Amino acid sequence: MKALNKDRYFLSHVTSKGQATIPRAVRAMLGLKEGSEIAFKPAMGGFIMMRVTTTIKEENPYTLSEWNKIEKLASMKGKTFHSAEAALKHLHKV
């Protein structure tokens, strides 16, 4: 990739759906690929666009011991449960 002038503007047009194409040079500079996430942060006179990585942190309803039992049961053939409650009840018996 050739060096780009920092004062150069990269233009794109907004569609009727509010979509815009990120110019190839900008995607290359930010390392954006299909599926990459970007964020927009308000700044004086405009916005700053940056590449981000988000993670979803959910509270795990099961203890490590319960997860180990769930994985063990999931790998067994022939054992099925018709509800989460039935599976959890079985876990506490095992």
Side-chain angles (χ1 to χ4, degrees), residues 15 39 47 52 55-56 60:
T15 69
F47 283 83
V52 296
T55 56
I56 299 172
N60 188 343

Side-chain angles (χ1 to χ4, degrees), residues 21-78:
T21 300
I22 301 170
R24 181 181 297 160
V26 175
R27 292 192 314 263
M29 284 189 266
L30 292 175
L32 297 175
K33 297 185 179 357
E34 183 177 345
S36 293
E37 296 175 291
I38 55 175
F40 298 90
K41 180 180 179 181
M44 292 182 66
F47 283 83
I48 297 170
M49 182 185 83
M50 63 194 87
R51 180 178 173 206
V52 296
T53 302
T54 58
T55 56
I56 299 172
K57 184 173 182 174
E58 297 178 8
E59 286 297 317
N60 188 343
Y62 303 106
T63 65
L64 181 58
S65 174
E66 288 174 328
W67 268 120
N68 289 335
K69 290 177 184 178
I70 290 170
E71 289 175 349
K72 181 179 177 183
L73 288 172
S75 67
M76 295 171 53
K77 293 185 179 179

